[in-house]
Amino acid sequence: MTVLVAYASALGSTREIAQHMASRMAAALGEVECRSVDEVESVSPYGGVVVGSAIHNQAWLPPAVQFLSQHAPGLAERLVWAFSVGMADGLPKLFRKRAAVLQQQRLEATQFQDVQLRGHAVFSGVYQASQLPAVLRALFRLTGGRFGDLRDWAAVDAWTDQITAELTKSDLR
């Protein structure tokens, strides 16, 4: 079975997570392709699909939303997982966990209506100070926000391993 890991990335963090996942899955599953959602013409060659997007303004990037909509009939016949890359771990400590839960719930209620998911995970990405104007950057830091590479690779690996185990057991092999 060939697996697709598709992504929509604004600044590269989501792409790097997708590439990492694909590489890890390939060690156990063999054929795994990692592509931008813009490069995928059809999902028919794939038995399993993992699709991810950066989160901007509490939503997936438009190309990722379009991918789900365009390929919904084909995705309905496949095992599908989704991951979202946001900045919950960059928020002031008091809000991090609650914000992550709310963000995941909001995304699941609004972004994935056309596709039956086997699972959805939200990861933090890379959040650089240069992404904000100086005034907002200062305010963000004053309230306890943090910048940097906030990716939790152990969490990404654990989730990837769960998907890999499910795909290994599936009768699509």
CSV table of all heavy atoms in Angstrom, one decimal, residues 75-123:
chain,number,residue,atom,x,y,z
A,75,LEU,N,-11.3,10.3,-0.7
A,75,LEU,CA,-10.9,10.2,0.7
A,75,LEU,C,-11.9,9.3,1.5
A,75,LEU,O,-11.5,8.6,2.4
A,75,LEU,CB,-10.7,11.6,1.3
A,75,LEU,CG,-9.5,12.4,0.8
A,75,LEU,CD1,-9.6,13.8,1.3
A,75,LEU,CD2,-8.2,11.7,1.1
A,76,ALA,N,-13.2,9.4,1.1
A,76,ALA,CA,-14.2,8.6,1.8
A,76,ALA,C,-13.9,7.1,1.7
A,76,ALA,O,-14.4,6.3,2.5
A,76,ALA,CB,-15.6,8.9,1.2
A,77,GLU,N,-13.1,6.7,0.7
A,77,GLU,CA,-12.8,5.3,0.5
A,77,GLU,C,-11.4,4.9,1.0
A,77,GLU,O,-10.9,3.8,0.8
A,77,GLU,CB,-12.8,5.0,-1.0
A,77,GLU,CG,-14.2,5.3,-1.7
A,77,GLU,CD,-14.1,5.2,-3.2
A,77,GLU,OE1,-13.0,4.9,-3.8
A,77,GLU,OE2,-15.2,5.4,-3.8
A,78,ARG,N,-10.8,5.8,1.8
A,78,ARG,CA,-9.5,5.6,2.3
A,78,ARG,C,-9.4,5.8,3.8
A,78,ARG,O,-10.3,6.5,4.4
A,78,ARG,CB,-8.5,6.5,1.6
A,78,ARG,CG,-8.1,6.0,0.2
A,78,ARG,CD,-7.7,7.0,-0.8
A,78,ARG,NE,-7.6,6.3,-2.1
A,78,ARG,CZ,-8.6,6.0,-2.8
A,78,ARG,NH1,-9.8,6.2,-2.5
A,78,ARG,NH2,-8.4,5.4,-4.0
A,79,LEU,N,-8.3,5.3,4.4
A,79,LEU,CA,-8.0,5.7,5.8
A,79,LEU,C,-7.4,7.0,5.8
A,79,LEU,O,-6.4,7.3,5.1
A,79,LEU,CB,-7.1,4.6,6.4
A,79,LEU,CG,-7.6,3.2,6.4
A,79,LEU,CD1,-6.5,2.2,6.9
A,79,LEU,CD2,-8.9,3.0,7.2
A,80,VAL,N,-8.0,8.0,6.6
A,80,VAL,CA,-7.5,9.4,6.5
A,80,VAL,C,-7.3,9.9,7.9
A,80,VAL,O,-8.1,9.7,8.8
A,80,VAL,CB,-8.5,10.3,5.8
A,80,VAL,CG1,-8.0,11.7,5.7
A,80,VAL,CG2,-8.8,9.7,4.4
A,81,TRP,N,-6.2,10.6,8.1
A,81,TRP,CA,-5.8,11.3,9.3
A,81,TRP,C,-5.5,12.7,9.0
A,81,TRP,O,-5.1,13.0,7.8
A,81,TRP,CB,-4.6,10.7,10.0
A,81,TRP,CG,-4.8,9.3,10.6
A,81,TRP,CD1,-5.1,9.0,11.9
A,81,TRP,CD2,-4.8,8.1,9.9
A,81,TRP,NE1,-5.2,7.7,12.0
A,81,TRP,CE2,-5.0,7.1,10.8
A,81,TRP,CE3,-4.5,7.7,8.6
A,81,TRP,CZ2,-5.0,5.7,10.5
A,81,TRP,CZ3,-4.5,6.4,8.2
A,81,TRP,CH2,-4.8,5.4,9.2
A,82,ALA,N,-5.6,13.6,9.9
A,82,ALA,CA,-5.3,15.0,9.7
A,82,ALA,C,-4.5,15.6,10.9
A,82,ALA,O,-4.7,15.1,12.0
A,82,ALA,CB,-6.6,15.9,9.5
A,83,PHE,N,-3.6,16.5,10.5
A,83,PHE,CA,-2.9,17.2,11.6
A,83,PHE,C,-2.8,18.7,11.3
A,83,PHE,O,-2.9,19.1,10.1
A,83,PHE,CB,-1.4,16.6,11.8
A,83,PHE,CG,-0.5,16.9,10.7
A,83,PHE,CD1,0.4,17.9,10.7
A,83,PHE,CD2,-0.4,16.0,9.6
A,83,PHE,CE1,1.3,18.2,9.7
A,83,PHE,CE2,0.5,16.2,8.5
A,83,PHE,CZ,1.3,17.3,8.6
A,84,SER,N,-2.8,19.4,12.3
A,84,SER,CA,-2.8,20.9,12.2
A,84,SER,C,-1.6,21.4,13.0
A,84,SER,O,-1.3,20.9,14.0
A,84,SER,CB,-4.1,21.4,12.8
A,84,SER,OG,-5.2,20.9,12.2
A,85,VAL,N,-1.0,22.5,12.4
A,85,VAL,CA,0.1,23.1,13.0
A,85,VAL,C,-0.1,24.5,13.4
A,85,VAL,O,-0.4,25.3,12.5
A,85,VAL,CB,1.4,22.9,12.1
A,85,VAL,CG1,2.6,23.6,12.8
A,85,VAL,CG2,1.6,21.5,11.8
A,86,GLY,N,-0.2,24.8,14.7
A,86,GLY,CA,-0.5,26.1,15.2
A,86,GLY,C,0.6,26.6,16.1
A,86,GLY,O,1.7,26.3,16.0
A,87,MET,N,0.1,27.5,17.0
A,87,MET,CA,1.1,28.1,17.9
A,87,MET,C,0.6,28.0,19.4
A,87,MET,O,1.1,28.8,20.2
A,87,MET,CB,1.3,29.5,17.5
A,87,MET,CG,0.1,30.4,17.5
A,87,MET,SD,0.4,32.1,17.6
A,87,MET,CE,0.8,32.4,19.3
A,88,ALA,N,-0.2,27.1,19.7
A,88,ALA,CA,-0.7,27.0,21.1
A,88,ALA,C,0.4,27.0,22.1
A,88,ALA,O,0.3,27.6,23.2
A,88,ALA,CB,-1.6,25.8,21.3
A,89,ASP,N,1.5,26.3,21.9
A,89,ASP,CA,2.6,26.2,22.8
A,89,ASP,C,3.4,27.6,23.0
A,89,ASP,O,4.2,27.7,23.8
A,89,ASP,CB,3.6,25.1,22.5
A,89,ASP,CG,2.9,23.7,22.8
A,89,ASP,OD1,2.0,23.7,23.7
A,89,ASP,OD2,3.3,22.8,22.2
A,90,GLY,N,3.1,28.5,22.1
A,90,GLY,CA,3.7,29.8,22.2
A,90,GLY,C,2.9,30.8,23.0
A,90,GLY,O,3.4,31.8,23.4
A,91,LEU,N,1.7,30.4,23.3
A,91,LEU,CA,0.8,31.3,24.1
A,91,LEU,C,1.3,31.4,25.5
A,91,LEU,O,2.0,30.6,26.0
A,91,LEU,CB,-0.6,30.8,24.0
A,91,LEU,CG,-1.3,30.8,22.7
A,91,LEU,CD1,-2.7,30.2,22.7
A,91,LEU,CD2,-1.4,32.3,22.1
A,92,PRO,N,0.9,32.5,26.2
A,92,PRO,CA,1.2,32.5,27.7
A,92,PRO,C,0.8,31.2,28.4
A,92,PRO,O,-0.2,30.6,28.0
A,92,PRO,CB,0.4,33.7,28.2
A,92,PRO,CG,0.2,34.6,26.9
A,92,PRO,CD,0.1,33.6,25.8
A,93,LYS,N,1.6,30.8,29.3
A,93,LYS,CA,1.5,29.4,29.9
A,93,LYS,C,0.1,29.2,30.4
A,93,LYS,O,-0.5,28.1,30.3
A,93,LYS,CB,2.5,29.3,31.0
A,93,LYS,CG,2.6,27.9,31.5
A,93,LYS,CD,3.8,27.7,32.4
A,93,LYS,CE,4.0,26.3,32.8
A,93,LYS,NZ,5.2,26.1,33.5
A,94,LEU,N,-0.6,30.2,31.0
A,94,LEU,CA,-1.9,30.0,31.5
A,94,LEU,C,-2.9,29.6,30.5
A,94,LEU,O,-3.9,28.9,30.8
A,94,LEU,CB,-2.3,31.4,32.2
A,94,LEU,CG,-3.7,31.5,32.8
A,94,LEU,CD1,-3.8,30.5,34.0
A,94,LEU,CD2,-4.0,32.9,33.2
A,95,PHE,N,-2.7,29.9,29.2
A,95,PHE,CA,-3.7,29.6,28.2
A,95,PHE,C,-3.3,28.4,27.3
A,95,PHE,O,-4.2,28.0,26.5
A,95,PHE,CB,-3.9,30.9,27.3
A,95,PHE,CG,-4.3,32.1,28.0
A,95,PHE,CD1,-3.4,33.1,28.2
A,95,PHE,CD2,-5.5,32.2,28.6
A,95,PHE,CE1,-3.7,34.3,28.9
A,95,PHE,CE2,-5.9,33.3,29.3
A,95,PHE,CZ,-5.0,34.4,29.4
A,96,ARG,N,-2.1,27.9,27.4
A,96,ARG,CA,-1.6,26.9,26.4
A,96,ARG,C,-2.5,25.7,26.2
A,96,ARG,O,-3.0,25.4,25.1
A,96,ARG,CB,-0.2,26.5,26.7
A,96,ARG,CG,0.8,27.5,26.4
A,96,ARG,CD,2.2,27.1,26.7
A,96,ARG,NE,3.0,28.3,26.8
A,96,ARG,CZ,4.1,28.4,27.5
A,96,ARG,NH1,4.5,27.4,28.3
A,96,ARG,NH2,4.7,29.5,27.5
A,97,LYS,N,-2.8,25.0,27.3
A,97,LYS,CA,-3.5,23.7,27.2
A,97,LYS,C,-4.9,24.0,26.8
A,97,LYS,O,-5.5,23.3,25.9
A,97,LYS,CB,-3.5,23.0,28.5
A,97,LYS,CG,-2.1,22.3,28.8
A,97,LYS,CD,-2.2,21.4,30.0
A,97,LYS,CE,-0.8,20.8,30.2
A,97,LYS,NZ,-0.8,19.9,31.4
A,98,ARG,N,-5.6,24.9,27.4
A,98,ARG,CA,-7.0,25.2,27.0
A,98,ARG,C,-7.1,25.7,25.6
A,98,ARG,O,-8.0,25.3,24.9
A,98,ARG,CB,-7.5,26.3,28.0
A,98,ARG,CG,-9.0,26.5,27.8
A,98,ARG,CD,-9.9,25.4,28.2
A,98,ARG,NE,-11.2,25.7,27.9
A,98,ARG,CZ,-12.1,24.8,27.4
A,98,ARG,NH1,-11.7,23.6,27.1
A,98,ARG,NH2,-13.3,25.2,27.2
A,99,ALA,N,-6.2,26.5,25.2
A,99,ALA,CA,-6.2,27.0,23.8
A,99,ALA,C,-6.0,25.9,22.8
A,99,ALA,O,-6.7,25.8,21.7
A,99,ALA,CB,-5.1,28.1,23.6
A,100,ALA,N,-5.1,24.9,23.1
A,100,ALA,CA,-4.9,23.8,22.2
A,100,ALA,C,-6.2,22.9,22.1
A,100,ALA,O,-6.6,22.5,21.0
A,100,ALA,CB,-3.7,22.9,22.7
A,101,VAL,N,-6.9,22.7,23.2
A,101,VAL,CA,-8.1,21.9,23.2
A,101,VAL,C,-9.2,22.6,22.4
A,101,VAL,O,-9.8,22.0,21.5
A,101,VAL,CB,-8.6,21.6,24.6
A,101,VAL,CG1,-10.0,21.0,24.6
A,101,VAL,CG2,-7.6,20.7,25.3
A,102,LEU,N,-9.3,23.9,22.6
A,102,LEU,CA,-10.3,24.7,21.9
A,102,LEU,C,-10.0,24.8,20.4
A,102,LEU,O,-11.0,24.7,19.6
A,102,LEU,CB,-10.4,26.1,22.5
A,102,LEU,CG,-11.1,26.3,23.9
A,102,LEU,CD1,-11.0,27.7,24.4
A,102,LEU,CD2,-12.5,25.8,23.8
A,103,GLN,N,-8.8,24.9,20.1
A,103,GLN,CA,-8.4,25.0,18.7
A,103,GLN,C,-8.7,23.6,18.0
A,103,GLN,O,-9.3,23.6,16.9
A,103,GLN,CB,-6.9,25.3,18.6
A,103,GLN,CG,-6.5,25.6,17.2
A,103,GLN,CD,-5.1,26.2,17.2
A,103,GLN,OE1,-4.1,25.6,17.7
A,103,GLN,NE2,-5.0,27.4,16.7
A,104,GLN,N,-8.4,22.5,18.6
A,104,GLN,CA,-8.7,21.2,18.0
A,104,GLN,C,-10.2,21.0,17.9
A,104,GLN,O,-10.6,20.6,16.8
A,104,GLN,CB,-8.1,20.1,18.9
A,104,GLN,CG,-8.3,18.7,18.3
A,104,GLN,CD,-7.4,17.7,18.8
A,104,GLN,OE1,-6.6,17.9,19.8
A,104,GLN,NE2,-7.4,16.5,18.3
A,105,GLN,N,-11.0,21.4,18.9
A,105,GLN,CA,-12.4,21.3,18.8
A,105,GLN,C,-13.0,22.1,17.6
A,105,GLN,O,-13.8,21.7,16.9
A,105,GLN,CB,-13.1,21.6,20.1
A,105,GLN,CG,-12.8,20.6,21.2
A,105,GLN,CD,-13.3,21.1,22.5
A,105,GLN,OE1,-13.6,22.3,22.8
A,105,GLN,NE2,-13.4,20.2,23.5
A,106,ARG,N,-12.5,23.4,17.6
A,106,ARG,CA,-13.0,24.3,16.5
A,106,ARG,C,-12.7,23.8,15.1
A,106,ARG,O,-13.5,23.8,14.2
A,106,ARG,CB,-12.3,25.7,16.7
A,106,ARG,CG,-12.9,26.7,15.8
A,106,ARG,CD,-12.3,28.1,16.1
A,106,ARG,NE,-12.6,28.6,17.4
A,106,ARG,CZ,-11.6,28.8,18.3
A,106,ARG,NH1,-10.4,28.6,18.1
A,106,ARG,NH2,-11.9,29.2,19.5
A,107,LEU,N,-11.4,23.3,15.0
A,107,LEU,CA,-11.0,22.7,13.7
A,107,LEU,C,-11.9,21.5,13.3
A,107,LEU,O,-12.3,21.4,12.1
A,107,LEU,CB,-9.6,22.4,13.6
A,107,LEU,CG,-8.6,23.6,13.6
A,107,LEU,CD1,-7.2,23.1,14.0
A,107,LEU,CD2,-8.6,24.3,12.3
A,108,GLU,N,-12.1,20.6,14.2
A,108,GLU,CA,-12.8,19.4,13.9
A,108,GLU,C,-14.3,19.7,13.6
A,108,GLU,O,-14.9,19.0,12.9
A,108,GLU,CB,-12.7,18.4,15.1
A,108,GLU,CG,-11.3,17.8,15.2
A,108,GLU,CD,-11.1,17.0,16.4
A,108,GLU,OE1,-12.0,16.8,17.2
A,108,GLU,OE2,-9.9,16.5,16.5
A,109,ALA,N,-14.8,20.8,14.2
A,109,ALA,CA,-16.2,21.2,14.0
A,109,ALA,C,-16.4,21.9,12.7
A,109,ALA,O,-17.5,22.0,12.1
A,109,ALA,CB,-16.7,22.0,15.1
A,110,THR,N,-15.3,22.5,12.1
A,110,THR,CA,-15.5,23.4,11.0
A,110,THR,C,-14.7,23.0,9.7
A,110,THR,O,-15.2,23.3,8.6
A,110,THR,CB,-15.0,24.8,11.3
A,110,THR,OG1,-13.6,24.8,11.6
A,110,THR,CG2,-15.9,25.4,12.4
A,111,GLN,N,-13.6,22.3,9.9
A,111,GLN,CA,-12.8,22.0,8.7
A,111,GLN,C,-12.9,20.6,8.1
A,111,GLN,O,-12.6,20.4,6.9
A,111,GLN,CB,-11.3,22.1,9.1
A,111,GLN,CG,-11.0,23.5,9.7
A,111,GLN,CD,-11.1,24.6,8.7
A,111,GLN,OE1,-10.3,24.7,7.8
A,111,GLN,NE2,-12.1,25.4,8.9
A,112,PHE,N,-13.5,19.7,8.8
A,112,PHE,CA,-13.4,18.3,8.4
A,112,PHE,C,-14.8,17.7,8.1
A,112,PHE,O,-15.0,16.5,8.3
A,112,PHE,CB,-12.6,17.4,9.4
A,112,PHE,CG,-11.3,18.0,9.8
A,112,PHE,CD1,-11.0,18.2,11.1
A,112,PHE,CD2,-10.4,18.3,8.8
A,112,PHE,CE1,-9.8,18.8,11.5
A,112,PHE,CE2,-9.1,18.9,9.2
A,112,PHE,CZ,-8.8,19.1,10.5
A,113,GLN,N,-15.7,18.5,7.8
A,113,GLN,CA,-17.1,18.0,7.6
A,113,GLN,C,-17.3,17.1,6.4
A,113,GLN,O,-18.2,16.2,6.5
A,113,GLN,CB,-18.1,19.2,7.4
A,113,GLN,CG,-18.1,20.2,8.6
A,113,GLN,CD,-18.3,19.5,9.9
A,113,GLN,OE1,-19.3,18.9,10.0
A,113,GLN,NE2,-17.4,19.7,10.9
A,114,ASP,N,-16.5,17.2,5.4
A,114,ASP,CA,-16.6,16.4,4.2
A,114,ASP,C,-15.8,15.1,4.3
A,114,ASP,O,-16.0,14.2,3.4
A,114,ASP,CB,-16.2,17.1,3.0
A,114,ASP,CG,-17.0,18.4,2.7
A,114,ASP,OD1,-18.2,18.4,3.1
A,114,ASP,OD2,-16.5,19.3,2.1
A,115,VAL,N,-15.0,14.9,5.3
A,115,VAL,CA,-14.1,13.7,5.4
A,115,VAL,C,-14.2,13.1,6.7
A,115,VAL,O,-14.2,13.7,7.8
A,115,VAL,CB,-12.7,14.2,5.1
A,115,VAL,CG1,-11.7,13.0,5.2
A,115,VAL,CG2,-12.6,14.9,3.8
A,116,GLN,N,-14.3,11.7,6.7
A,116,GLN,CA,-14.3,10.9,7.9
A,116,GLN,C,-12.9,10.7,8.3
A,116,GLN,O,-12.1,10.0,7.6
A,116,GLN,CB,-15.1,9.6,7.7
A,116,GLN,CG,-15.1,8.7,8.9
A,116,GLN,CD,-16.0,9.2,10.0
A,116,GLN,OE1,-17.0,9.9,9.7
A,116,GLN,NE2,-15.7,9.0,11.2
A,117,LEU,N,-12.5,11.2,9.5
A,117,LEU,CA,-11.1,11.1,9.9
A,117,LEU,C,-10.9,10.0,10.9
A,117,LEU,O,-11.8,9.7,11.7
A,117,LEU,CB,-10.6,12.4,10.6
A,117,LEU,CG,-10.5,13.6,9.8
A,117,LEU,CD1,-10.1,14.8,10.6
A,117,LEU,CD2,-9.6,13.4,8.6
A,118,ARG,N,-9.8,9.3,10.8
A,118,ARG,CA,-9.5,8.3,11.8
A,118,ARG,C,-8.9,8.9,13.0
A,118,ARG,O,-8.8,8.4,14.1
A,118,ARG,CB,-8.5,7.3,11.2
A,118,ARG,CG,-8.8,6.6,9.9
A,118,ARG,CD,-9.7,5.4,10.0
A,118,ARG,NE,-9.0,4.4,10.8
A,118,ARG,CZ,-9.5,3.2,10.9
A,118,ARG,NH1,-10.6,2.9,10.4
A,118,ARG,NH2,-8.8,2.3,11.6
A,119,GLY,N,-8.4,10.1,12.8
A,119,GLY,CA,-7.8,10.9,14.0
A,119,GLY,C,-7.3,12.2,13.5
A,119,GLY,O,-7.1,12.5,12.3
A,120,HIS,N,-7.2,13.1,14.5
A,120,HIS,CA,-6.7,14.5,14.2
A,120,HIS,C,-5.8,14.9,15.4
A,120,HIS,O,-6.1,14.7,16.5
A,120,HIS,CB,-7.9,15.5,14.1
A,120,HIS,CG,-7.5,16.9,14.0
A,120,HIS,ND1,-7.9,17.8,14.8
A,120,HIS,CD2,-6.6,17.5,13.1
A,120,HIS,CE1,-7.4,19.0,14.5
A,120,HIS,NE2,-6.6,18.9,13.5
A,121,ALA,N,-4.7,15.5,15.0
A,121,ALA,CA,-3.7,16.0,16.1
A,121,ALA,C,-3.4,17.4,15.8
A,121,ALA,O,-3.3,17.8,14.6
A,121,ALA,CB,-2.5,15.1,16.1
A,122,VAL,N,-3.1,18.2,16.8
A,122,VAL,CA,-2.7,19.6,16.7
A,122,VAL,C,-1.3,19.6,17.3
A,122,VAL,O,-1.1,19.2,18.5
A,122,VAL,CB,-3.6,20.5,17.4
A,122,VAL,CG1,-3.1,21.9,17.3
A,122,VAL,CG2,-5.0,20.5,16.8
A,123,PHE,N,-0.4,20.1,16.5
A,123,PHE,CA,1.0,20.3,17.0
A,123,PHE,C,1.4,21.8,16.9
A,123,PHE,O,0.8,22.5,16.1
A,123,PHE,CB,2.0,19.5,16.1
A,123,PHE,CG,1.7,18.1,16.0
A,123,PHE,CD1,1.3,17.5,14.8
A,123,PHE,CD2,1.9,17.2,17.1
A,123,PHE,CE1,1.0,16.1,14.7
A,123,PHE,CE2,1.6,15.9,17.0
A,123,PHE,CZ,1.2,15.3,15.8
